[in-house]
Amino acid sequence: MLNVLWDGGSNFPGIAQFGKAFIELATNGDLWRHSIASLFRVTLGFYLAILLAVPLGLFLGRRQGWRKWMDPVVQFLRPISPLAWTPFAMAWFGIGDAPALFIIFLAAFFPILISTTEAAASIHPMYFLVASNLQLTSWESLCKIIVPATAPNILLALRVSLGVAWLVVVAAEMIAVKSGLGYLIIDSRNALRLDYVMVAMTTIGMIGLALDHTIARLGRLEAVRWRLERK
Amino acid sequence: MSENKILIDNVTVEYRNGGSPRKPWSLFGKGRNCGSAGDDVRTVLHDINIEIKTGEFVSVLGHSGCGKSTLLKVIAGFVRPTRGAVLIDGKEVTKPQPDHVFVFQEGSLFPWLTIRENISLALRSVKDPREKEEKAAYYLELVGLENSHSQYPYMLSGGMRQRAEIARAIAAQPDILLMDEPFSALDYLTRLNLREEMLYLHVMLPKTTILFVTHDIDEALQLCNRLIIMSDPPSQVKCCRTIKAPHPRNLTDIELSDLRSHIYYHLGVHTAV
C-alpha cells in the first residue's frame, strides 16, 4: 500500500515523483511566476469587487425604494455562474488579464453586495434616532454609524468572497491567459504531466489557506470586536 | 414670554396598521393596499393637552401600550402628530433638536465606540479637542464612570451603560430631557441607585425640564413634581397631580402613600394597595 503511494500508478503520480516535480517547479521559478500571476489577478479583481460592492451595498441597504427594485435584479444575476460569462468576457475584453479579472470580479461581487446590503438594512433604527437627535450630518452618520455597524458583516463577506475568488481564478486562467496556476494545470494536463497538475493543486490549497488565515485575522481588529462580544 | 416650556396642544396620533406594505411588483396598485379608506386606523393618542413649565420634573404613568412612549417621541420630533402640535418655547416641533434629548430604555449607545467617544458625539459643538476631552471627562465623572472611559459598552454592566446614556444626553446640554423608561431594564438595586442619581442631576440642572415615562410608581413618586396618568388607548390624560413634598422624600409619608393609592386606583389596580 505504502509502496503504491510512493511510486504512484498510471493515473496518479506517486509521492516521490510529486516531490521531484515540486522541487523542479520551485527551483526553475515557474511555480512562483504562476502563483504571483494568480495572486495578482485575485487581488485586483477582489479589490475591484470591494470598491464597487461595498458602497453600492451600503446605498441599497439604506434606500428601501432602490433596494426593492435592485433586489430582483441582483438575485437574477447572482445564480449565473461567473464561468458562464467567459464567452462574453473574452468577446468584450479580448485575451489577457482583463477577462480573467472580470470573472473574478463577478464571483466576489455578489456575496459582498448582498451581505453589505443586508447588514446596512438591518441597522437598528434607534441608532438613527439618536443620530437625528444629536444632529449628526449624513457624512457623520455614514462614518460613525453605517460603516462601523456593518463592518463585522462586511468582513465576514470578504472572507467568503475571497475564497470564491480564489476558487474561480483557476477556472478563469484556463481560458485566455498564459500564466497563473490555472494555466499551469491546463498546460500540464495537455502535456500529460499529472505530477505538475498535483503540484499546482497543492499550491492553490496552500495559498487559499494562507489567504483565509490573513483575512480571518482582520476579525480580531478592535473595530469589529464589539459584534462578537455583545451579550 | 410665557412660562410654559412645552405646550402639547390637542395632539392626536393615529397609526394605520391595516394596509400591508406595497409589493414591489404592484407597480400600478398604488391605491390598493396603502392608505385607502378601509384601513384600520388605530388612535394612539387622542386630543392630549398638557402644559409643562421650565424646570419641571414630570412623570408619565400608564399601562403598557397606552402611548406614553409615543407622546415622548412626538415631543422629541421623531413622530409627527396626526393632528395638533407640540410647541416648545412657542415654536412648533417639526424635527429632532439637539437641545431636546431622548434617553432610550437601553442599548442606544453605539457599541462600536468607547464610552468616551459616545459622549463626545454629544459634544460636537465643542471644536477644541482638549476642551472636548475635558468636558467628556466632566460628564463621565458626573455619572461615576471616570474609570470606564475607554471601555466599550459591552464591557459594562447594564447600570453603567444606562449611566453612560444619561451622561451622553446631558452632555448635549439639553433644556429638555425625554426619558423613556430609562431604568426599566435594570435590576432593582441598580434602579434605586440611579433614582438617587437622577434626583442629584435634577437639582444640579434646575433649568432642565424632564419628562420621565415609567412603570414604576415609587420611582415616579420619589422623583417628580408632577404626575400624569394616561388612560388606555385612545389615550387621554386621565389625571394630573402635583407633588409638593420636598426632596429627599420618604415614601411612607401620608401624602405620598395616599397618592400612591390614588394612582393605583386610576390604573385600575385594586389588590396591590
Side-chain angles (χ1 to χ4, degrees):
Chain A
M1 179 67 194
L2 269 177
N3 217 15
V4 175
L5 270 182
W6 186 260
D7 291 337
S10 58
N11 45 16
F12 72 96
I15 293 174
Q17 203 188 343
F18 167 76
K20 226 179 84 196
F22 197 101
I23 291 166
E24 192 188 322
L25 284 176
T27 45
N28 74 10
D30 274 358
L31 195 56
W32 310 119
R33 192 166 60 84
H34 290 308
S35 299
I36 287 167
S38 291
L39 271 172
F40 164 76
R41 289 185 192 114
V42 166
T43 312
L44 210 61
F46 184 58
Y47 279 158
L48 214 60
I50 296 175
L51 221 60
L52 279 157
V54 170
L56 183 61
L58 293 179
F59 175 78
L60 289 181
R62 297 313 310 164
R63 292 280 183 280
Q64 209 194 351
W66 285 84
R67 188 161 72 245
K68 272 186 182 167
W69 283 100
M70 285 299 289
D71 196 52
V73 178
V74 171
Q75 298 304 341
F76 168 76
L77 288 172
R78 193 170 70 112
I80 301 171
S81 164
L83 300 178
W85 288 89
T86 42
F88 290 106
M90 288 171 75
W92 296 337
F93 301 108
I95 301 285
D97 281 337
L101 278 176
F102 176 68
I103 288 165
I104 294 159
F105 165 80
L106 273 182
F109 180 77
F110 288 108
I112 302 176
L113 179 70
I114 288 166
S115 300
T116 310
T117 308
E118 192 51 44
S122 58
I123 301 174
H124 200 297
M126 181 168 60
Y127 295 134
F128 294 102
L129 288 183
V130 174
S132 70
N133 205 167
L134 299 174
Q135 291 207 317
L136 301 191
T137 59
S138 330
W139 176 248
E140 281 172 307
S141 287
L142 181 69
C143 300
K144 302 264 185 193
I145 301 177
I146 299 175
V147 170
T150 51
N153 289 25
I154 293 177
L155 211 58
L156 199 65
L158 293 190
R159 194 171 167 190
V160 171
S161 58
L162 184 58
V164 178
W166 190 238
L167 199 70
V168 297
V169 69
V170 174
E173 282 166 350
M174 291 183 176
I175 52 146
V177 287
K178 293 250 170 280
S179 63
L181 292 166
Y183 169 74
L184 179 61
I185 289 179
I186 280 293
D187 195 43
S188 309
R189 190 204 64 178
N190 291 341
L192 296 174
R193 290 298 302 263
L194 291 186
D195 50 343
Y196 282 8
V197 172
M198 196 173 257
V199 171
M201 286 166 70
T202 315
T203 312
I204 288 167
M206 287 191 303
I207 294 177
L209 189 67
L211 284 178
D212 185 67
H213 187 70
T214 312
I215 206 159
R217 285 178 72 93
L218 288 177
R220 289 185 223 149
L221 288 179
E222 209 168 47
V224 293
R225 277 233 319 268
W226 60 270
R227 187 57 178 268
L228 302 169
E229 316 262 355
R230 208 159 53 162
K231 54 184 167 140
Chain B
M1 192 187 112
S2 83
E3 213 194 338
N4 281 335
K5 181 73 186 169
I6 308 173
L7 178 67
I8 299 165
D9 185 19
N10 271 316
V11 165
T12 297
V13 174
E14 289 168 354
Y15 285 142
R16 294 174 190 284
N17 52 3
S20 56
R22 190 152 60 97
K23 302 288 188 307
W25 53 83
S26 67
L27 296 183
F28 310 105
K30 264 197 168 169
R32 199 171 62 197
N33 268 338
C34 45
S36 57
D39 267 0
D40 184 10
V41 175
R42 194 160 51 97
T43 306
V44 184
L45 299 174
H46 183 69
D47 279 345
I48 304 273
N49 287 289
I50 303 171
E51 289 170 20
I52 295 167
K53 293 183 177 60
T54 304
E56 253 193 310
F57 194 140
V58 178
S59 282
V60 184
L61 285 166
H63 287 289
S64 295
C66 79
K68 306 185 294 287
S69 296
T70 305
L71 179 66
L72 229 53
K73 284 182 177 151
V74 171
I75 301 171
F78 294 158
V79 173
R80 293 297 305 274
T82 316
R83 282 186 293 281
V86 172
L87 304 170
I88 293 178
D89 293 326
K91 271 188 291 197
E92 188 176 345
V93 177
T94 53
K95 60 178 197 309
Q97 296 287 335
D99 41 4
H100 319 146
V101 176
F102 200 97
V103 178
F104 290 85
Q105 189 173 335
E106 69 170 333
S108 80
L109 292 172
F110 297 115
W112 46 83
L113 299 178
T114 63
I115 298 300
R116 199 215 321 256
E117 286 165 345
N118 262 293
I119 287 171
S120 301
L121 272 188
L123 298 165
R124 289 167 63 251
S125 53
V126 184
K127 289 282 173 278
D128 178 37
R130 249 195 48 206
E131 198 189 335
K132 199 175 205 160
E133 190 137 325
E134 278 168 17
K135 283 213 163 162
Y138 168 76
Y139 287 108
L140 280 168
E141 208 184 319
L142 203 63
V143 294
L145 285 177
E146 58 273 21
N147 295 323
S148 313
H149 55 82
S150 51
Q151 290 188 300
Y152 286 88
Y154 70 81
M155 300 172 171
L156 303 183
S157 68
M160 285 161 100
R161 277 203 292 268
Q162 207 55 37
R163 284 198 177 95
E165 295 209 16
I166 292 171
R168 183 174 69 184
I170 56 178
Q173 295 190 302
D175 31 84
I176 300 172
L177 266 180
L178 302 161
M179 309 182 85
D180 188 10
E181 301 183 36
F183 307 147
S184 61
L186 305 174
D187 66 88
Y188 186 64
L189 281 178
T190 312
R191 226 182 311 170
L192 290 186
N193 282 335
L194 279 172
R195 206 189 276 178
E196 210 166 296
E197 281 171 37
M198 201 58 230
L199 211 48
Y200 169 69
L201 288 176
H202 177 48
V203 174
M204 276 213 26
L205 310 163
K207 289 266 172 59
T208 309
T209 310
I210 304 174
L211 252 91
F212 192 93
V213 166
T214 181
H215 277 123
D216 188 330
I217 291 166
D218 284 353
E219 200 166 82
L221 284 174
Q222 197 138 50
L223 291 173
C224 69
N225 314 123
R226 189 143 65 103
L227 265 172
I228 291 172
I229 300 175
M230 289 174 65
S231 69
D232 287 343
S235 302
Q236 288 183 301
V237 176
K238 201 168 188 180
C239 126
C240 197
R241 290 289 290 263
T242 308
I243 306 177
K244 292 232 166 64
H247 295 291
R249 288 172 185 161
N250 183 351
L251 286 181
T252 50
D253 267 3
I254 192 80
E255 184 200 342
L256 293 175
S257 56
D258 273 0
L259 191 53
R260 190 196 282 119
S261 320
H262 188 70
I263 296 168
Y264 276 124
Y265 170 77
H266 272 290
L267 291 175
V269 183
H270 303 291
T271 48
V273 203

